[in-house]
């Protein structure tokens, strides 16, 4: 899998590896939102340091934004940080 979630006490560390596509990003975001631990999340670290390529189209981004907007309303306390490769 190109996206892995590592749950912590009040946070989530998401690793992106290899080639990441929009379908995987959307399906994984939905899994996070459905998880019972989501309500207690206070931070998410998006770690792109091992990603080599992303193939995400405009429609993928629109669907992802719609999903994340709903999730943000459900739990507005989450802070997000992303780590990228050089």
């Amino acid at each position: 899998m190109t996206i892995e979630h590592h749950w912590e006490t009040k946070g989530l560390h998401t690793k992106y590896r290899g080639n990441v596509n929009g379908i995987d990003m959307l399906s994984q975001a939905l899994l996070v939102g459905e998880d019972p631990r989501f309500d207690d999340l206070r931070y998410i670290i998006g770690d792109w340091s091992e990603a080599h390529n992303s193939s995400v189209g405009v429609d993928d981004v629109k669907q992802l934004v719609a999903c994340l907007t709903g999730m943000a309303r459900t739990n507005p306390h989450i802070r997000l940080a992303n780590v990228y490769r050089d």
Side-chain angles (χ1 to χ4, degrees):
M1 164 131 339
T2 60
I3 302 172
E4 297 175 4
H5 300 295
H6 302 277
W7 289 89
E8 300 170 358
T9 304
K10 292 286 183 181
L12 177 63
H13 181 201
T14 300
K15 296 271 302 181
Y16 299 90
R17 294 191 166 133
N19 299 318
V20 180
N21 65 53
I23 293 170
D24 288 343
M25 288 182 66
L26 181 60
S27 66
Q28 291 299 310
L30 291 170
L31 287 176
V32 168
E34 295 170 355
D35 194 289
R37 297 170 284 191
F38 177 78
D39 294 336
D40 296 325
L41 277 181
R42 294 299 173 259
Y43 65 88
I44 298 174
I45 299 170
D47 184 351
W48 290 82
S49 63
E50 295 182 26
H52 300 290
N53 185 31
S54 64
S55 56
V56 181
V58 173
D59 289 335
D60 298 323
V61 172
K62 287 179 181 179
Q63 290 180 3
L64 189 58
V65 166
C67 173
L68 296 178
T69 300
M71 291 169 66
R73 289 186 180 136
T74 303
N75 184 347
H77 307 289
I78 299 173
R79 300 293 179 243
L80 177 63
N82 285 298
V83 178
Y84 297 99
R85 296 166 45 106
D86 285 342

